[in-house]
Amino acid sequence: MQTVYPWQQNIWETLTSRFPEVGHGLLFYGKNGCGKHEFAQHFLAWVLCSNKQAQAACGECMSCQWLKSDTHPNYVHITTDEENKKQNAKIKIEKIRDLLPFVQQTVDGWRVIVIEPAEALNMASSNALLKTLEEPGDRIILILLADHYLKLPATIRSRLQHFALDRVSPEQSQHYIQTEQPELSESQVNLLLNLSGAMPLSALQLAQSEWLNKRADFLMDWTNLVTQKNKPMLLATKWSKEMGFNDFIPMVEYLLGDLICVKLNQSLKNIDLSFDQIVQAYTLEQLFEIYTQIQHAKQLVEQNVQTNLILDQLFIKLMNVE
């Protein structure tokens, strides 16, 4: 049975020991990869469960069975539209207005609403949510999940209890990763944590990524491209075959970020790579221009522009012929 992650245990005990005297509006926030979604699911199952255990829902009662089959009448999950999963997709006001009958009905037991990502609430849907937060009805818990809580309107934030789920000590991170993947060396664990913002779940995900072991090869090709000033299309074709666009772009972003760090005398994330040769080829301004082009490339992909054309343009930019 899944339990909460070690770094979340104190918050779990705080919430469960106070229950049912918890606020009706809860904000779980923290960096991507801290496990806030998993924590919210674990907690809402416990709230709805009719046979609660200390560390988890029972998993057997009718409520738990409903949750497993995604048919729980007392649980509503609100997110952006499936057909609108773009980078800046919003939660529309209609979805918040549709909550009213659910909030106002009289039922047995607790009711839970989860909104994620809370940053996707626009001004109209935020204002509609305020009414529910101010007059929530009996035995209702509203959970908002956010990466960056300061992106939420102050009017919403002030009506919620805040819980940071990304307070993970380096010791907790290392111990968790080594428990899950004991074959990793200490230096590999440190690299993964460096690249994942020190979030253990992101680090484990990163360990499985296609691009992790190809960074050095790409950096060598990039160095050759910028020193020899030729064959950008050939390299673009090579790397489009080597990995998918959605793996390739994060790899370039991580390396580019470290190039910028070298220029600014800041510590590197890719601690196993040397940027000494390539960094001489660019000014700081040129590196930021490349960053801007990468962000533009992501938008073009969302607009269904062919990725091979985008990569051709990017490699020409990387070649840095002024």
Side-chain angles (χ1 to χ4, degrees):
M1 181 170 59
Q2 170 71 48
T3 58
V4 297
Y5 296 111
W7 56 91
Q8 300 171 342
Q9 189 61 41
N10 286 344
I11 292 176
W12 176 264
E13 288 170 6
T14 298
L15 285 167
T16 54
S17 63
R18 287 182 192 167
F19 189 83
E21 301 301 320
V22 292
H24 61 267
L26 307 175
L27 173 63
F28 297 156
Y29 70 92
K31 284 191 281 190
N32 197 20
C34 69
K36 58 185 175 292
H37 172 83
E38 293 86 344
F39 183 89
Q41 293 299 314
H42 201 69
F43 180 63
L44 74 89
W46 184 89
V47 168
L48 295 171
C49 178
S50 54
N51 186 24
K52 296 173 178 50
Q53 313 297 306
Q55 287 295 320
C58 73
E60 303 296 332
C61 69
M62 186 65 76
S63 173
C64 290
Q65 296 302 324
W66 278 335
L67 268 183
K68 283 177 189 171
S69 61
D70 203 21
T71 56
H72 204 299
N74 288 7
Y75 169 52
V76 174
H77 180 254
I78 293 177
T79 186
T80 52
D81 294 331
E82 280 302 320
E83 70 276 8
N84 189 21
K85 287 290 185 188
K86 307 296 186 197
Q87 276 183 309
N88 296 312
K90 295 296 178 188
I91 294 172
K92 295 172 183 167
I93 189 171
E94 291 77 17
K95 288 198 170 188
I96 305 300
R97 283 179 176 156
D98 289 346
L99 283 175
L100 279 177
F102 177 79
V103 170
Q104 290 168 350
Q105 66 188 344
T106 305
V107 295
D108 290 334
W110 284 81
R111 285 164 288 166
V112 179
I113 300 162
V114 171
I115 299 176
E116 66 173 320
E119 298 98 324
L121 290 163
N122 59 25
M123 195 54 70
S125 51
S126 293
N127 288 338
L129 184 62
L130 278 177
K131 184 169 176 57
T132 302
L133 283 170
E134 286 164 355
E135 302 169 18
D138 196 28
R139 286 189 297 184
I140 281 189
I141 290 183
L142 187 69
I143 298 172
L144 274 68
L145 298 181
D147 289 351
H148 311 286
Y149 78 96
L150 286 173
K151 289 187 177 178
L152 301 181
T155 48
I156 297 285
R157 295 201 310 267
S158 65
R159 288 164 174 79
L160 302 169
Q161 287 185 50
H162 300 192
F163 296 93
L165 292 171
D166 60 356
R167 303 299 190 256
V168 195
S169 71
E171 295 75 23
Q172 284 175 323
S173 294
Q174 288 172 338
H175 182 262
Y176 183 77
I177 293 169
Q178 284 169 334
T179 303
E180 293 294 311
Q181 296 208 346
E183 73 280 6
L184 294 174
S185 69
E186 187 178 343
S187 62
Q188 286 173 313
V189 171
N190 287 336
L191 174 65
L192 289 170
L193 286 170
N194 251 2
L195 292 172
S196 61
M199 289 297 105
L201 303 184
S202 290
L204 287 174
Q205 200 175 10
L206 200 58
Q208 309 303 321
S209 69
E210 194 183 351
W211 58 264
L212 186 67
N213 297 321
K214 296 183 177 178
R215 292 166 302 128
D217 288 345
F218 174 71
L219 189 59
M220 188 181 299
D221 280 351
W222 187 358
T223 305
N224 289 335
L225 176 68
V226 81
T227 52
Q228 297 167 12
K229 308 288 187 195
N230 63 7
K231 301 181 181 173
M233 304 304 193
L234 194 69
L235 285 175
T237 304
K238 171 189 171 180
W239 283 97
S240 68
K241 290 176 181 172
E242 198 76 27
M243 66 175 79
F245 184 84
N246 290 334
D247 274 315
F248 178 76
I249 287 297
M251 177 179 72
V252 180
E253 283 185 305
Y254 274 114
L255 296 172
L256 180 64
D258 271 354
L259 278 175
I260 292 170
C261 284
V262 173
K263 289 285 188 188
L264 297 173
N265 294 318
Q266 294 178 352
S267 55
L268 304 183
K269 289 187 165 49
N270 293 275
I271 48 179
D272 57 337
L273 300 177
S274 170
F275 296 88
D276 293 346
Q277 198 176 354
I278 193 171
V279 75
Q280 309 302 327
Y282 297 98
T283 64
L284 192 57
E285 186 182 8
Q286 287 166 335
L287 293 173
F288 281 120
E289 283 175 11
I290 294 168
Y291 177 81
T292 301
Q293 182 152 340
I294 289 171
Q295 304 318 306
H296 183 54
K298 291 181 189 173
Q299 293 171 351
L300 291 176
V301 170
E302 288 182 351
Q303 294 159 15
N304 297 320
V305 176
Q306 288 186 324
T307 55
N308 60 332
L309 296 175
I310 295 168
L311 286 180
D312 286 348
Q313 290 176 343
L314 181 58
F315 273 80
I316 290 168
K317 184 73 174 176
L318 294 178
M319 191 167 65
N320 196 26
V321 176
E322 289 300 312

